[in-house]
């Protein structure tokens, strides 16, 4: 399971890197408007995940680190065994 989480997180990093580089015109993409729309939707979902799990993440003590990782990886961070363990221990 950890291997699949790692692959998922790497793919998300590649996605965000592609989005950022395409905004500056450093990576040619066939349809930049579509990529930007998808990025906005993913960003919105990650913000929603942060809002829904804010209370649990706050109790872990490392709120800033967790929020940044949720903004980057979303549910892949929230369902990671280490994060789940930290949230359960904080309750």
């Amino acid at each position: 399971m950890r291997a699949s989480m790692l692959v998922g997180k790497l793919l998300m990093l590649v996605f965000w890197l592609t989005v950022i580089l395409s905004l500056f015109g450093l990576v040619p993409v066939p349809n930049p408007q579509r990529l930007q729309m998808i990025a906005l939707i993913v960003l919105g979902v990650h913000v929603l995940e942060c809002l829904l799990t804010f209370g649990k993440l706050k109790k872990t003590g490392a709120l800033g680190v967790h929020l940044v990782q949720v903004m980057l990886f979303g549910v892949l961070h929230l369902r990671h065994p280490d994060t789940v363990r930290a949230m359960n221990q904080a309750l």
Side-chain angles (χ1 to χ4, degrees):
M1 181 159 132
R2 289 183 187 254
S4 62
M5 289 280 189
L6 180 62
V7 169
K9 285 184 174 186
L10 287 173
L11 289 174
M12 284 304 296
L13 282 177
V14 169
F15 170 74
W16 287 120
L17 186 62
T18 303
V19 169
I20 291 169
L21 291 176
S22 72
L23 286 174
F24 294 109
L26 299 173
V27 173
V29 291
N31 192 344
Q33 292 82 16
R34 180 176 288 167
L35 179 64
Q36 292 169 4
M37 183 59 68
I38 292 169
L40 283 175
I41 291 168
V42 171
L43 186 66
V45 170
H46 288 187
V47 168
L48 186 61
E49 290 168 344
C50 284
L51 292 173
L52 292 174
T53 59
F54 184 82
K56 288 182 181 180
L57 293 176
K58 187 177 179 182
K59 293 178 184 176
T60 63
L63 178 63
V65 173
H66 285 296
L67 289 177
V68 168
Q69 290 191 35
V70 171
M71 289 304 294
L72 285 173
F73 308 120
V75 75
L76 293 173
H77 175 67
L78 293 173
R79 296 294 175 216
H80 193 276
D82 295 338
T83 307
V84 171
R85 189 177 319 108
M87 287 192 296
N88 288 336
Q89 288 176 351
L91 296 175

